[in-house]
Amino acid sequence: MSSLRDRINKLRSTGASEPTPAAREAQAPAPPETVRPEEKEAQHVVKKQKISLGREQYQELKRSIHGKLLDALDLSILSEMKEEEVKEQIRTVATRLLEQGSVTFNRRERENFVQEIVDEVLGFGPLEPLLQDPSISDILVNGDKQVYVEKEGRLFVTDVEFKDNPHLRHVMDRIVSTVGRHIDESSPMCDARLPDGSRVNAIIPPLAVDYPVLSIRKFRKDALSVEDLLNRGTMGADVAEVAKACVRARLNVLISGGTGAGKTTMLNIMSAYISHRERIVTIEDSAELQLQQPHVVRLETRPPNIEGRGEVTQYELLINSLRMRPDRIILGEVRGREALDMLQAMNTGHDGSMCTVHANSPRDALARLETMVAMGGHDLPQSAVRQQISSALDVILQMQRLPDGTRKMTYFTEVLGMEGEIVTMQDIFRFERKGVGKDGESLGNHVATGVQPRFLDRLRAAGMNLSPAFFMPRK
C-alpha cells in the first residue's frame, strides 16, 4: 500500500496540477439516482448481504478499498486542503466505495473500517489507535501477528495485526522516512522518532532472525511534573525539595538507571528548575527532552547515509556545543568517547550540567564512566580518570523500575571526592522496600540516612537554606 500523505506532500512541494475531468467526476457528490422501472426491479433482485468476514477476507477488502480510493481521489485538490479536510474527504469517498460493494457493516463496524482506511493512507496503519492511546507508554511489534503494549509498567498482548510482514515493513519505512532515514538490507537497523517525538527502533532480517521488529517508546504530550512523581511515589517530598535546591545551586547531576527506569523523565523534571535566564544546550541521539525555558538549543546526532558518510556523533556535537556559549549542557545519555569531554565541561565553567547513564547502582555508574573514558582511546592513568569523575560530579540519582512496573528513585547519592585510589560517596536518601502488597505492588518509602551532605554550604551560598530536618530519619 502506497502512502497518500507522501504523494500529497510531493504535490504540495512541486505545485498542484489542474484536476482532470475524470478525477473531478470521482470527487463530486453522487447525483440523485434516476432509475427506470425495469432497472429498479433488477436492483431489488441483487441485494447486499451482511456476511462475517475472516481475517484474510477483511484485509483483502481493506486492500481493495484502499486501491480504489487512490484511483478516485484527486490528489491535486487534496494537496490544497488542510489535513482535517483531507481526512474528511477520504472518509466520504471510502464510505461511498464501501456502500457500492457487496459487503455491508452495521454503523459501528463501518466507522471502524473507514477509520482504519484513513489510518492506512495518512497515518501508521494498525499502530495508529495505539499511538493515540495516552495510557500506552511502549508499543512492541514482533512480526505481523504479535503486538504488545506497556501500560503502567506492565506488558499486555493486543489483537492488533498487520496483513503480512511486507505490510509491517511498509509502515516501518514510512516511520523512518519522516526523519530522513531508511531501513533495508544494507542498513537493517535504524533509530528514528515519530512527529510527536516518540522514540523508535526498527530492525529487520537478517539481523532479526524471524521477522521485522519495531519498538516505540511513546512521547508524552503532557510532560510529567514533580507533583505527578510525588503522587506516584517515585520520590518523596523531602527528596524533591533537595533535588530542586541542587539544580538551582548549579550542582552537576548524573542520573543513573536501567532501560525504562525513568531516567529521561527525571532529567526533564530536574531541568524544569533551571533559571529562565540561562542558555541551555541539549545533546541527544533522538530529541525527546521537553525543556520549558525560552533559551534552549537542541542538538541531535545524525547516522551515516547510505554511502556510510555524514555521521555526526554526540562527541562531535559536545565539542561543538562548547563553542556555543552554553550556561549548562544537558547530555541525553553518555555512552561513548564523549564521557571525558562531558566531565571536563563540568569541571571548566559549565556548572549545573546534567546527563544520564545506564547503570544499576551509583557505584556502577562511576565504573561505567571510567570504562567509557578508557574506550574513547584516552591514554590516561586510572587515578587521573577517577579524579576527573570525583571533581566533576556532585550528585547521582539512581532510578529503578520495580517488579510491579513502578519507577522509584532508589538512591540520592553525594559524590565526596577521592580517598586514595577510590571515589568516595555517601547516600543522602534511599528507598526502603518493605515487601509486596496483596495486588503485587511493591511497598516501601523514601527515608533520609541521617547524613548531612557536604554540598549544604554550596546550597546556602546560592540562597537555598534547607532545614537540617530534611536529612534526619523520621519515625
Side-chain angles (χ1 to χ4, degrees), residues 274-275 278-282 291 293 295-297 328 330:
I274 299 176
S275 169
E278 297 184 35
R279 175 177 169 88
I280 309 166
V281 177
T282 68
L291 272 66
Q293 289 78 0
H295 200 169
V296 177
V297 178
R328 304 198 197 210
I330 299 181

Side-chain angles (χ1 to χ4, degrees), residues 40 82 101 140 164 189 243 282 306 322 352 398 436:
K40 189 173 183 179
K82 297 180 180 179
L140 309 173
D164 47 30
M189 58 182 177
T282 68
I306 195 169
L322 298 175
Q398 182 66 38
V436 179

